[in-house]
Amino acid sequence: MTYQPFWFDQAMAEETTSVSSASIDETPYDIAIIGGGFTGLWTAITIKQRAPNTRIVILEKDLCGQGASGRNGGAMLTWSTKYLSLKKRFGESQAKWLVQQSENAVHAISQFAKEHNIDCGLRVDGCYISASNAAQQGVLTPCLNALDAVSLNQWQMVNKDQLKHTGSRQNQHAVFSPHAGSVQPAKLVRGLRRTAIGMGIVISESTRYVSHEKENTPQNEAITVCYSDKSQSIKTLKTEKLLFAVNAWLPRLMPQFSQNVVLVSSDMVITKPMPEKLKTLHLNHGAAVIDSRIFVNYYRTTPDGRLMLGKGGNYFSFANKVSDKFNAPSQYQAELQDSLNYFFGDHGFEIFRTWTGPSDRSVSGFPFFQETDKNVVVAAGYSGNGVVQSYLGGQILASMLLNTNDEWQKCGLVNQNLERFPIEPFRTLGAYVIRNGIRRKERAEDNNLAPSKLDKYLAKLSGAAAKADTH
């Protein structure tokens, strides 16, 4: 079988021996998790590390890694360039802590992969954030100055020789941090699955959540979860606590969150292997390269010599429907080709595949971890920045589900007062008006032209869409 997202297709093709999980049994579970991606797996693993006797079951409607976790760009980024937004939202102390934890997480994920023999092409080679046109020069200065003021700035301005390692003459300036990198995300997910099963966690793939009901009696607070497996028959299990770690699929399963996220595509293209070409471009490393526009261009290489480039902010899903467009080749191949041409000119790269994935964007641009009812928890809103942040989510959710009352459970991302997007059709119509204004503005800047006042105004309405605080 061939899967459209390249990462997942490659991971499954190379998974010669799949580890089987124990089956769901009738004994009540301590924790049931809906969703077998990064968040669900990191949460289950973290709980098992802290409380080994906890009975955990994960229900995954497809295969682990077939959702957003296995189809993203694989860039391991931190929250350091979102420090000003974190500070405004949660205060200086919490912002500093979250930045530090996100940087620590990059290395923790790398160490975990090594300890558990997860071969996922993980390279902690850092990240370059570039100015790919004159208008982007200096936009990070306020954020970097604020990081300097609290002794947290790990970013360094690169010289002309170091700038070559961004692979493109279009990058006029750049800063570099060593606390970042890249990974084959689907291989990491599949490796986490294997590790989780080895720890005694039950993982039931091709198993769809249907509904749940709480007993709500003083003697019995158990939750009954209804699900359907490969047989298509409805079955039930009992659990004390329930976690929804389904990201883009949350609005469908829990409609009360339908205005707290908006689903938008991130579209990617990957080349055939060309290691010698990458070497001449000085791209023989695993660092991520990201420019400083709102709808960023981002690219990275793979250990086998491919170049992957992605761009976010393309397709906005009406009413947050996870449509078939998310499982098809990118419908924005022309835009992806324009980005390749912009950075690499007459490159002659042989394109291997394009794909897309749904990103669940919150109003704040940060994930939220909410207890919706006693013993029922949800996680969502990674906003296109989840490879590293889902590891932090695993720490937070483990503390919430184990009720440890520690710094993870008390952090600002837990039980937030969530802002809401407008109702449909105004949400999607407004999103496209703002998107098109941003595109016109950034196209003008790429051509060293002055954007219109209208497009500059529309760009300011994008809120927290950018991966870095640039205004």
Side-chain angles (χ1 to χ4, degrees):
M1 182 176 182
T2 298
Y3 303 92
Q4 187 60 39
F6 170 77
W7 303 129
F8 190 73
D9 194 33
Q10 184 186 58
M12 296 306 294
E14 296 181 10
E15 191 174 283
T16 54
T17 56
S18 180
V19 178
S20 297
S21 167
S23 300
I24 299 172
D25 59 38
E26 295 182 357
T27 306
Y29 289 89
D30 298 308
I31 296 167
I33 298 174
I34 313 301
F38 280 140
T39 299
L41 287 166
W42 279 127
T43 301
I45 289 169
T46 304
I47 289 171
K48 273 290 191 180
Q49 289 174 327
R50 298 187 195 176
N53 294 327
T54 308
R55 279 175 50 81
I56 305 172
V57 60
I58 296 176
L59 307 184
E60 166 55 48
K61 72 180 182 67
D62 295 309
L63 299 176
C64 291
Q66 204 167 347
S69 297
R71 64 178 71 199
N72 59 75
M76 301 177 69
L77 308 176
T78 73
W79 274 326
S80 57
T81 54
K82 300 292 287 185
Y83 173 71
L84 290 175
S85 292
L86 288 167
K87 181 180 177 182
K88 181 178 180 180
R89 188 169 185 82
F90 303 120
E92 181 178 295
S93 176
Q94 188 69 189
K96 289 168 59 178
W97 185 78
L98 287 168
V99 167
Q100 290 172 317
Q101 293 302 325
S102 69
E103 292 182 335
N104 292 342
V106 173
H107 304 283
I109 295 169
S110 176
Q111 185 61 34
F112 186 93
K114 290 176 183 176
E115 290 177 355
H116 295 273
N117 298 313
I118 300 175
D119 181 9
C120 55
L122 196 159
R123 295 174 290 173
V124 182
D125 287 354
C127 174
Y128 296 90
I129 297 183
S130 73
S132 63
N133 61 38
Q136 294 173 27
Q137 293 186 29
V139 296
L140 279 177
T141 300
C143 182
L144 300 184
N145 287 343
L147 289 169
D148 274 327
V150 292
S151 303
L152 277 182
N153 189 9
Q154 302 295 324
W155 295 90
Q156 302 169 350
M157 182 67 72
V158 303
N159 59 36
K160 287 187 177 181
D161 190 56
Q162 294 168 327
L163 188 63
K164 294 178 182 177
H165 293 282
T166 67
S168 171
R169 294 179 181 177
Q170 196 64 54
N171 293 317
Q172 302 172 17
H173 294 277
V175 292
F176 175 82
S177 170
H179 303 295
S182 59
V183 67
Q184 210 284 28
K187 288 186 179 182
L188 177 56
V189 177
R190 299 302 295 178
L192 293 178
R193 173 190 176 273
R194 171 176 54 79
T195 303
I197 291 172
M199 299 173 77
I201 297 164
V202 175
I203 300 179
S204 185
E205 296 178 301
S206 301
T207 302
R208 186 178 299 273
Y209 162 87
V210 176
S211 64
H212 72 276
E213 184 176 359
K214 298 186 72 175
E215 299 291 343
N216 281 330
T217 62
Q219 296 79 20
N220 186 359
E221 293 185 345
I223 301 170
T224 300
V225 177
C226 297
Y227 64 92
S228 64
D229 57 16
K230 292 179 181 178
S231 69
Q232 299 300 310
S233 60
I234 301 297
K235 301 178 180 179
T236 63
L237 64 83
K238 299 282 188 180
T239 184
E240 180 184 345
K241 297 182 180 182
L242 179 62
L243 165 64
F244 287 87
V246 293
N247 300 314
W249 286 261
L250 182 64
R252 184 176 70 82
L253 298 186
M254 304 193 79
Q256 64 264 44
F257 290 97
S258 61
Q259 283 186 253
N260 300 123
V261 295
V262 59
L263 301 192
V264 57
S265 75
S266 187
D267 294 73
M268 284 144 278
V269 58
I270 197 164
T271 69
K272 293 181 179 180
M274 49 176 193
E276 293 304 315
K277 179 69 172 179
L278 293 182
K279 188 175 181 180
T280 63
L281 292 171
H282 303 280
L283 282 174
N284 51 337
H285 56 73
V289 183
I290 302 169
D291 68 3
S292 301
R293 64 190 72 215
I294 295 173
F295 292 146
V296 296
N297 295 295
Y298 56 92
Y299 55 90
R300 42 74 58 97
T301 67
T302 65
D304 64 344
R306 300 173 188 266
L307 176 71
M308 190 231 73
L309 178 143
K311 190 169 183 63
N314 298 310
Y315 167 66
F316 289 83
S317 176
F318 186 83
N320 284 335
K321 180 183 179 183
V322 184
S323 71
D324 292 340
K325 293 181 179 179
F326 290 117
N327 289 315
S330 172
Q331 61 179 327
Y332 294 93
Q333 295 185 41
E335 286 79 2
L336 293 171
Q337 190 63 58
D338 286 345
S339 291
L340 282 172
N341 293 340
Y342 184 75
F343 283 96
F344 303 106
D346 186 17
H347 50 75
F349 300 159
E350 291 188 74
I351 303 304
F352 183 72
R353 191 176 300 177
T354 67
W355 72 96
T356 187
S359 171
D360 51 324
R361 290 195 171 272
S362 66
V363 178
S364 69
F366 297 111
F368 52 85
F369 307 94
Q370 309 289 109
E371 187 170 20
T372 64
D373 195 0
K374 185 177 181 182
N375 295 335
V376 179
V377 177
V378 303
Y382 286 102
S383 304
N385 201 14
V387 177
V388 170
Q389 287 69 17
S390 57
Y391 175 86
L392 301 179
Q395 307 299 312
I396 292 168
L397 292 163
S399 292
M400 292 177 71
L401 292 164
L402 293 174
N403 196 26
T404 53
N405 201 31
D406 58 8
E407 57 189 353
W408 293 106
Q409 189 174 1
K410 294 177 181 177
C411 88
L413 298 168
V414 174
N415 291 332
Q416 302 175 55
N417 183 18
L418 299 178
E419 297 99 328
R420 295 163 70 89
F421 287 103
I423 61 172
E424 294 289 18
F426 305 106
R427 174 173 58 194
T428 298
L429 289 172
Y432 278 117
V433 168
I434 293 170
R435 184 205 70 174
N436 292 341
I438 292 170
R439 283 184 171 181
R440 291 191 299 268
K441 171 183 176 291
E442 294 179 340
R443 192 179 303 118
E445 292 169 346
D446 286 340
N447 290 288
N448 294 313
L449 300 173
S452 71
K453 290 183 178 180
L454 173 61
D455 291 340
K456 291 171 71 174
Y457 171 77
L458 290 172
K460 290 181 180 179
L461 298 179
S462 65
K467 288 189 181 295
D469 291 330
T470 57
H471 60 270

